[in-house]
Amino acid sequence: MRNVFQFCFVSVFLLVSCNQVSEKGQKPMGQMPVYQDVPYLQDFAIKYDLTDDVLLLAAYADRNGTIQAISSNGLYRTHDGQFLYPGVLTPDKTYRPLRDKKLSGMTLYKNQFVYLDDKAVLSNAWAGNLYLKHDLPNANIIAAGGDFLFLISDGTTLQFLSMAKTPWQGQLEGDIVQDILFDASREKFWVLGQNTVSSFNISTSELKTVLRGSDFTSFAILDNKVIIGTNSGYFAMDAISGERVGDKQTKLPVIEITDLEAIDGDLWFGSAQGAFKLRKDGKFDYYYGKRWLPGNKVVHISKGTDGSILVVTDAGLGQIVFKEMTLFDKAQYYDKQVRNRHIRLGFNASLTDLERGNIDSGRLTDSDNDGLWTTMYLAGEVFRYAVTQSEEALQNCRESMEAMERLFSINPVPGFPSRSFERSGYIEVLNDPHRWQHTDDPEWDWKATTSSDEAIGHIFAYGVMAELMDNDLKDRAITLIDTLMSHVVQNDLYMVDFDGKPTTWGKWNPEYVNARPKMVGDRKLNASNIIGMLQTAYYFTGKEKYKEKAFDLMDNHGYFENLMRPIKEIGPAPDDADDWSKMLSESWNHSDDEMYYVGYWGLYNYAFNDTLKANYKKAIIDHWEVERPEKEGAWNIMTALTGTPEFDLEEAAWYLREHPMDLVTWDIKNSHRKDIDFVPPNFREQTIREVLPPDERPIQRHNSNMFRLDKLGRDGRQEYSAGDIWLLPYWMGRYLKVISEPQL
């Protein structure tokens, strides 16, 4: 959803009393703010590709909802087209006689199509009675006024046409006509030249130059101002006095403006690099790339049907739709997205090898993090079940749990979870014989070298399941917790692979962890993760070996100090550090943030005592304070598990609302924008002062830098699953009661 629409749907915060009746399995949260899930306007795009070699000039929607586009070779109309399934623009043969005319322009009058050809202004509305002949065979610009008044131009000459008035003809003073608009409130036409703005009085037929300048490209009328676009920004002119108002505005996504339109009180801009809209707060909503438009060079913008916006580009037509929905509605859509095309053998998987974004052309693929992405989806479905008692959610949990269990059983190493598994033959395809190993069953292969982020994901999901489920899944989750943690403890706090050696990242032993200088993030991260994992294992199994190992690490090896180290002290390793530590700390690792936060569930909830719990809360909030600029929905909501009433709930809801419905990896570029404030290079890789909305930046999981501006080269090749990206924070928020049920 775009922020400009939020003024209609104010987020309401309520205080929930500590003695409130909890949803099934939920712990009372104390006094916490709650986001009221009222409807908001969610935007998404329907695209219509242009397959013919013609130049699109403009497009309009009439009162019947029909969309027509005028081109260098006549009229086109939309065919098919829905969200994620682009339609096409096809020659309009509806009125066959129009195909024989040399149509060069069109507009709307009383929400009916009006056309301009080399002989007349005409329409099929009003029983075809509108037919006004003109004397400009090369006319291609038209504007309609009240009472069937029209002003047309061929760029050099203007001609005024009316059913009741005498025709008039004239020219601008040494200028070329760019565009014409009718000002209904003042009953005059405005004429934009390359270097002038003129007015045409329909009563006196007086053409008067009002303003002089240079490099004008487009204009629009908004309230009592004429807004004038140029190749270097825009400015305003008072429509009554003709005086220029204020300075030229250049803090825009793109300063080279190709079109300006005022639609329902909003100012829309076209450029050679996408479209954008001025919001009420002075910022812009930016629509760039094939997430929104068939092409980036915008030719024309107009009002579409049902509040949508039509954006004509060099490659086709984009229709930006605004649909009223709640976060719960969005969750239902995403649930279908996951189940329809993102479940591979029970795993939460990506769809890859798409042909130009065609979601029906892709294939499900494994990843090194099948376990992690699936545990995050699985935990979200457990939260969903705890909140709704949905049988569908329960079945989703069962199917993913079967995949997670098989990660352990498909390889020969006791207690070791595979990264993934696949039917045989895949090793040769990937040409990765070290990671991919054969099983005893010739039908299956498994992926080795499991990492620490997989392990913490496993313990997170199983802990959530063990706590909130009251069926066989509870016992199965506890079994896997014990299975994995027994492997880790028995192997001296390492995950040991098929070759008898620790994996590259599955290392929590003090000899490895404390070899890192104190400012290197892995020292704090690994300590935090292993303590949370051991606490979870002890909480659900009651086995003293886990508790004893955790206290040994904290009391004798500095792990409590490690995990409590302020996050602001994390930085680059010193010059005399080992190469591995330097590599680990070249910049902030956003995958570490993901590992911290999924680990916080076990660290905080299953603390051995209240003193530790209070300290863990301080560590979590300390981390959250540094993460706040990213406005990361998952991190904000996960911070709420500590019971703190301050966790940027509105920013979390903003993340959920603003996240695009389209999860295809379209090319995204923002580094050229002039409306964002860049900051100097820094350790955390923050590029700009204020993070962009999720629907303006590349599609990414929680382990990526939210300040990343560009992602190019994979245009439409992959679709991510919403299972880990969106459904986890939403359903955790519902479970923690910081997001309400839908308020209709």
Side-chain angles (χ1 to χ4, degrees):
M1 132 73 183
R2 296 298 184 160
N3 287 346
V4 69
F5 298 103
Q6 294 173 17
F7 72 97
C8 294
F9 307 113
V10 179
S11 299
V12 182
F13 293 86
L14 301 178
L15 290 180
V16 181
S17 65
C18 60
N19 60 358
Q20 174 182 358
V21 178
S22 298
E23 291 173 336
K24 179 177 175 59
Q26 182 182 339
K27 299 176 182 179
M29 289 295 295
Q31 289 190 334
M32 298 288 286
V34 180
Y35 173 77
Q36 295 299 304
D37 188 16
V38 296
Y40 67 96
L41 290 180
Q42 175 69 53
D43 50 358
F44 57 89
I46 300 173
K47 290 162 285 187
Y48 301 91
D49 294 326
L50 179 65
T51 58
D52 293 346
D53 186 18
V54 298
L55 177 65
L56 292 177
L57 304 175
Y60 296 93
D62 72 357
R63 62 182 297 273
N64 303 310
T66 301
I67 298 173
Q68 280 187 340
I70 183 73
S71 79
S72 57
N73 189 31
L75 291 176
Y76 279 70
R77 66 181 298 148
T78 56
H79 172 68
D80 278 346
Q82 55 183 301
F83 177 53
L84 294 181
Y85 291 91
V88 296
L89 291 173
T90 185
D92 192 335
K93 302 177 182 178
T94 309
Y95 282 89
R96 188 167 61 179
L98 291 182
R99 296 295 300 170
D100 298 328
K101 294 185 177 295
K102 296 180 180 179
L103 299 182
S104 56
M106 68 180 296
T107 189
L108 285 180
Y109 177 62
K110 295 184 182 294
N111 290 320
Q112 303 277 17
F113 293 131
V114 175
Y115 310 108
L116 175 66
D117 73 359
D118 58 338
K119 295 181 177 64
V121 171
L122 64 151
S123 177
N124 292 316
W126 308 288
N129 282 315
L130 176 60
Y131 191 87
L132 296 174
K133 293 183 179 181
H134 64 75
D135 301 318
L136 303 178
N138 296 316
N140 59 359
I141 302 171
I142 179 172
D147 197 23
F148 291 93
L149 307 176
F150 300 92
L151 190 61
I152 67 172
S153 177
D154 59 4
T156 301
T157 303
L158 291 156
Q159 192 168 65
F160 174 65
L161 303 171
S162 168
M163 287 183 171
K165 295 178 180 289
T166 303
W168 169 93
Q169 187 166 300
Q171 293 182 334
L172 296 180
E173 297 179 11
D175 207 352
I176 297 174
V177 177
Q178 301 273 79
D179 200 1
I180 306 171
L181 291 175
F182 182 69
D183 187 344
S185 61
R186 278 160 281 277
E187 295 189 339
K188 66 169 65 174
F189 284 98
W190 293 100
V191 181
L192 180 75
Q194 289 182 337
N195 304 304
T196 60
V197 177
S198 302
S199 65
F200 177 76
N201 189 309
I202 61 176
S203 298
T204 64
S205 296
E206 179 187 9
L207 181 64
K208 178 182 178 182
T209 300
V210 177
L211 182 74
R212 295 186 182 275
S214 62
D215 204 24
F216 299 163
T217 61
S218 54
F219 69 158
I221 302 169
L222 185 63
D223 299 327
N224 289 316
K225 295 183 177 64
V226 178
I227 313 299
I228 302 164
T230 75
N231 280 316
S232 57
Y234 77 95
F235 65 93
M237 180 190 82
D238 189 289
I240 299 174
S241 68
E243 297 293 326
R244 185 164 169 166
V245 179
D247 298 327
K248 179 184 284 188
Q249 303 299 309
T250 58
K251 197 174 179 61
L252 318 174
V254 184
I255 61 173
E256 299 88 358
I257 298 169
T258 58
D259 189 38
L260 257 174
E261 301 290 340
I263 301 174
D264 294 335
D266 292 319
L267 197 58
W268 284 84
F269 300 78
S271 78
Q273 298 188 78
F276 47 97
K277 179 183 63 177
L278 179 62
R279 299 199 316 238
K280 304 304 180 185
D281 61 2
K283 299 177 182 178
F284 294 90
D285 291 331
Y286 186 39
Y287 298 89
Y288 174 97
K290 292 178 183 175
R291 179 183 295 163
W292 301 107
L293 307 171
N296 280 321
K297 185 176 181 180
V298 176
V299 177
H300 181 256
I301 300 174
S302 65
K303 182 177 180 178
T305 58
D306 299 323
S308 68
I309 301 296
L310 303 180
V311 183
V312 177
T313 76
D314 57 340
L317 173 67
Q319 183 177 15
I320 301 173
V321 179
F322 299 92
K323 181 180 180 181
E324 189 174 279
M325 61 171 50
T326 62
L327 292 181
F328 178 70
D329 294 330
K330 196 170 185 177
Q332 289 183 304
Y333 163 76
Y334 279 143
D335 180 65
K336 292 179 181 178
Q337 185 248 19
V338 175
R339 302 311 303 181
N340 286 347
R341 53 184 184 271
H342 287 281
I343 300 298
R344 184 188 71 85
L345 302 171
F347 293 118
N348 175 42
S350 293
L351 198 64
T352 192
D353 288 347
L354 273 62
E355 299 172 1
R356 293 177 296 177
N358 179 358
I359 58 175
D360 294 329
S361 67
R363 65 175 177 86
L364 288 166
T365 182
D366 72 279
S367 80
D368 280 356
N369 296 114
D370 275 350
L372 177 59
W373 309 144
T374 304
T375 55
M376 295 176 77
Y377 169 62
L378 176 57
E381 289 301 287
V382 175
F383 289 131
R384 178 186 171 195
Y385 178 72
V387 171
T388 67
Q389 295 295 289
S390 163
E391 287 298 319
E392 182 183 76
L394 180 60
Q395 180 60 25
N396 295 343
C397 291
R398 292 190 183 282
E399 292 178 12
S400 288
M401 190 60 171
E402 289 173 355
M404 300 308 295
E405 289 171 327
R406 198 175 184 202
L407 287 174
F408 289 86
S409 64
I410 201 168
N411 72 69
V413 185
F416 182 81
S418 311
R419 282 187 183 271
S420 186
F421 54 80
E422 185 54 274
R423 298 186 185 278
S424 60
Y426 206 41
I427 293 177
E428 286 73 25
V429 174
L430 289 179
N431 194 26
D432 191 0
H434 178 64
R435 293 190 183 188
W436 281 103
Q437 300 295 313
H438 293 298
T439 71
D440 293 336
D441 184 343
E443 289 293 322
W444 292 94
D445 299 322
W446 67 281
K447 185 180 276 191
T449 71
T450 307
S451 65
S452 54
D453 47 358
E454 299 293 292
I456 192 63
H458 280 266
I459 298 302
F460 164 58
Y462 304 151
V464 171
M465 182 174 283
E467 180 173 349
L468 302 185
M469 288 294 188
D470 56 2
N471 48 42
D472 63 296
L473 287 174
K474 179 183 184 75
D475 294 335
R476 290 162 65 182
I478 294 172
T479 296
L480 290 188
I481 292 171
D482 194 27
T483 298
L484 175 55
M485 293 311 297
S486 288
H487 173 93
V488 171
V489 171
Q490 289 170 8
N491 287 287
D492 203 18
L493 301 183
Y494 291 105
M495 276 205 300
V496 176
D497 213 335
F498 70 95
D499 57 3
K501 300 177 181 178
T503 65
T504 301
W505 302 106
K507 300 174 180 177
W508 301 274
N509 186 284
E511 185 176 296
Y512 172 82
V513 172
N514 289 335
R516 313 278 76 78
K518 291 183 178 181
M519 75 288 296
V520 175
D522 272 40
R523 182 161 177 162
K524 174 180 171 69
L525 171 66
N526 286 24
S528 177
N529 276 183
I530 192 61
I531 297 302
M533 293 161 70
L534 291 166
Q535 286 183 162
T536 303
Y538 175 74
Y539 185 89
F540 289 108
T541 70
K543 294 183 178 181
E544 289 295 325
K545 64 179 180 180
Y546 299 126
K547 184 175 183 179
E548 291 171 0
K549 179 58 67 175
F551 275 106
D552 175 56
L553 293 173
M554 289 191 286
D555 294 342
N556 301 319
H557 298 282
Y559 274 41
F560 179 75
E561 177 187 351
N562 286 346
L563 71 88
M564 291 299 298
R565 184 163 292 109
I567 204 78
K568 290 183 179 179
E569 294 182 10
I570 303 302
D575 292 339
D576 60 353
D578 62 285
D579 290 342
W580 188 255
S581 294
K582 290 180 180 178
M583 181 277 295
L584 290 172
S585 58
E586 290 176 351
S587 62
W588 187 259
N589 189 326
H590 295 274
S591 287
D592 290 357
D593 292 326
E594 187 167 58
M595 294 173 64
Y596 276 117
Y597 273 95
V598 298
Y600 286 157
W601 181 268
L603 185 71
Y604 180 80
N605 282 333
Y606 312 131
F608 291 124
N609 55 56
D610 289 343
T611 300
L612 284 174
K613 194 169 193 175
N615 279 291
Y616 297 154
K617 179 176 180 178
K618 292 178 182 177
I620 294 169
I621 293 175
D622 172 71
H623 186 182
W624 169 75
E625 288 284 359
V626 172
E627 296 296 324
R628 292 180 75 178
E630 294 192 11
K631 300 183 182 181
E632 225 286 358
W635 305 164
N636 287 330
I637 289 173
M638 287 179 168
T639 300
L641 70 89
T642 66
T644 177
E646 186 177 347
F647 56 92
D648 287 349
L649 175 60
E650 178 53 33
E651 305 295 10
W654 172 85
Y655 170 92
L656 295 172
R657 290 192 306 265
E658 294 281 337
H659 208 280
M661 304 280 282
D662 183 347
L663 300 187
V664 174
T665 57
W666 300 113
D667 280 2
I668 295 293
K669 187 178 180 182
N670 288 290
S671 57
H672 61 280
R673 293 174 62 165
K674 302 297 188 292
D675 63 325
I676 52 181
D677 296 322
F678 290 84
V679 298
N682 54 82
F683 178 70
R684 289 190 61 84
E685 297 182 317
Q686 180 172 339
T687 55
I688 56 178
R689 196 168 308 281
E690 183 177 358
V691 71
L692 295 173
D695 61 356
E696 295 182 15
R697 61 192 189 218
I699 290 294
Q700 53 196 13
R701 293 186 171 93
H702 301 294
N703 64 339
S704 297
N705 181 6
M706 298 301 155
F707 282 95
R708 182 174 184 175
L709 298 177
D710 302 343
K711 190 170 185 179
L712 305 172
R714 295 284 294 171
D715 204 18
R717 292 292 305 278
Q718 189 173 19
E719 185 190 49
Y720 281 13
S721 168
D724 50 294
I725 294 174
W726 199 94
L727 290 173
L728 172 61
Y730 171 75
W731 283 114
M732 179 183 274
R734 287 290 304 275
Y735 169 71
L736 294 176
K737 283 189 172 293
V738 296
I739 298 175
S740 79
E741 62 185 11
Q743 307 293 300
L744 301 177

